[in-house]
Amino acid sequence: MMRKADVSFEELYNCYKVRFERFAISYIQDRSVAEDIVTDSFVYWWEHRDRVGSKDDNPAAYILATIRHKCLNHLRALQVRLRSHNEIRESQSRIVQENIRSLELCDPVHLFAGEVEALVRQSLEELPELTRYIFIDQRLKGKSYRDIAVEYAISERRVETELARALDKLRRRLKDYLPVILVSLVLSRFIR
C-alpha cells in the first residue's frame, strides 16, 4: 500500500492505472470514457493532494473513490439521456400510430366531395344555357338523345356535340380530382 508521502505521481499512476481502468470499464462499458475518468481522477488527486487529507492517507483509495464517483455521475447522466431518448421514441411511436390510424380512416372521396360538387356546379353554370340543360337532362335525369333532341327541337347530333362540350369542360376543371374519383368509383363497386 502506497502512502501519500512516499509516492510520486508517476509511481502511483504506473502501479494502479490498469487496475483502475478495468474497474471503470466494468461499469462504464466504454474503454475511452473509462480511461478518461481514470486519468482525470489521477490528475484531480495530484492537483489537490495537499487538500485531500493528512500525509497518512491512502492516495490509491482516494483516487478509486474519485473514479467511483465519476463513474456514478457518468452512469446517472447516461440514464437521464436514455430515459429522454426512450420518451422521445415513445412519443414518436404514438405519433406514427395516430398517423397510421388517421390515414386508414381517411376517405379521399369524402375529403374532396364538397370541392368536386362545387366545381361541377360552377362549371355547369359557366356553360351556355342549352349545353347545361342538355347535360342535366341526359346525365342527371337519364333522358335519351332522341327525347332531348325533340324537347329542344335540335338534331341528335347536336345533342351529342353539346354533351361532348360539357364533358370536356368538366374534365378540364376536374383533372386534379379525377384519379380520386375513379379510385372511389372502382372501390365502391367492389365494396357493394
Side-chain angles (χ1 to χ4, degrees):
M1 173 163 72
M2 294 185 160
R3 296 281 175 207
K4 184 175 172 181
D6 303 334
V7 68
S8 73
F9 180 87
E10 187 176 348
E11 289 174 309
L12 191 64
Y13 188 77
N14 290 335
C15 183
Y16 290 102
K17 175 187 175 273
V18 173
R19 276 188 269 178
F20 288 172
E21 283 178 351
R22 267 189 258 133
F23 172 82
I25 291 168
S26 71
Y27 290 101
I28 300 298
Q29 305 295 314
D30 183 331
R31 175 174 289 285
S32 172
V33 172
E35 288 172 353
D36 287 347
I37 287 174
V38 169
T39 301
D40 289 349
S41 298
F42 272 101
V43 170
Y44 181 83
W45 170 78
W46 185 254
E47 289 174 349
H48 298 92
R49 65 189 179 280
D50 294 333
R51 289 186 270 153
V52 294
S54 69
K55 293 184 182 206
D56 296 330
D57 286 343
N58 183 347
Y62 181 86
I63 293 168
L64 186 59
T66 303
I67 291 168
R68 176 186 163 275
H69 179 74
K70 288 179 179 284
C71 286
L72 280 170
N73 286 344
H74 174 79
L75 291 172
R76 287 179 181 134
L78 181 62
Q79 185 179 38
V80 167
R81 280 194 308 273
L82 289 173
R83 194 175 304 135
S84 295
H85 288 293
N86 286 339
E87 289 172 6
I88 290 169
R89 210 168 308 140
E90 287 172 12
S91 175
Q92 288 172 335
S93 178
R94 282 191 301 272
I95 290 169
V96 168
Q97 287 291 3
E98 285 302 314
N99 287 342
I100 288 170
R101 267 189 235 119
S102 177
L103 280 172
E104 287 174 342
L105 296 173
C106 176
D107 183 358
V109 174
H110 291 329
L111 290 175
F112 294 113
E115 284 182 49
V116 170
E117 189 177 316
L119 282 173
V120 168
R121 229 185 259 119
Q122 184 182 4
S123 296
L124 289 176
E125 289 172 9
E126 293 171 0
L127 291 174
E129 192 173 302
L130 179 62
T131 307
R132 180 174 55 245
Y133 289 147
I134 290 172
F135 178 84
I136 290 170
D137 286 348
Q138 202 284 318
R139 294 296 173 141
L140 302 179
K141 295 181 181 176
K143 291 183 180 180
S144 69
Y145 284 28
R146 183 171 186 74
D147 292 340
I148 296 170
V150 169
E151 183 177 336
Y152 295 104
I154 57 175
S155 69
E156 286 183 44
R157 177 75 179 135
R158 174 88 189 266
V159 170
E160 189 177 320
T161 303
E162 295 300 327
L163 274 173
R165 181 183 294 162
L167 290 172
D168 184 55
K169 172 116 177 155
L170 285 171
R171 261 189 229 104
R172 279 187 274 126
R173 286 298 287 272
L174 298 173
K175 72 178 186 307
D176 294 333
Y177 297 93
L178 285 178
V180 174
I181 295 168
L182 291 174
V183 168
S184 68
L185 289 173
V186 170
L187 290 177
S188 68
R189 288 192 178 140
F190 286 114
I191 294 172
R192 287 183 187 170

